[in-house]
Amino acid sequence: MTQQRKNSDGPTGKPQRDSARAATKAKSSAHVAEEAAESGARSARTATGQAGRAAAAGIETGRQAAVAATGKVAATAGAAWTVVTKRKAVAAGAGAGLIGVVGAAFAAGRATAKPQLGPVTRLTHGRI
């Protein structure tokens, strides 16, 4: 093929050159797109892995908090159940304590309300 024929704008010259250039550009663009897709896939894998690790850590923290809360609730419920089942004993103990406090206050008040007596009067129980 001669140079003149190659450069001619005949029925197959210019369109072939244009399509060859377009094909080369398309191939280059496809290569760039492929590299970008691979980079995006790597970034997505990394982000997914990090999100998975963060989610696992969050789940573990939540599980530990739930276990701790369950233990506290169980202890509180146990104490409340003991009070309910032993309510008669608790009421009797509270009543005895109240009677003891009132009796002690009465005795202390009586001791301070007595008139001062001398030693002979105390010895004879107030007869002299």
Side-chain angles (χ1 to χ4, degrees):
M1 189 182 275
T2 65
Q3 187 65 19
Q4 184 180 15
R5 178 147 177 130
K6 284 183 182 177
N7 294 335
S8 76
D9 288 338
T12 60
K14 183 167 174 52
Q16 283 180 345
R17 285 191 306 270
D18 290 346
S19 67
R21 278 191 219 120
T24 304
K25 286 182 182 178
K27 185 177 178 183
S28 173
S29 296
H31 183 67
V32 169
E34 180 184 4
E35 288 177 355
E38 287 176 5
S39 173
R42 278 192 304 272
S43 297
R45 273 194 309 269
T46 303
T48 303
Q50 289 173 350
R53 285 189 293 277
I59 289 170
E60 180 62 21
T61 302
R63 186 192 67 78
Q64 289 173 353
V67 167
T70 303
K72 289 178 185 176
V73 168
T76 303
W81 183 249
T82 301
V83 169
V84 169
T85 58
K86 308 288 184 189
R87 66 185 178 277
K88 290 181 183 177
V90 170
L98 181 63
I99 289 172
V101 168
V102 169
F106 180 75
R110 293 287 296 159
T112 57
K114 287 184 180 178
Q116 294 293 328
L117 304 173
V120 174
T121 307
R122 278 195 307 261
L123 185 63
T124 61
H125 295 286
R127 298 196 194 283
I128 301 178

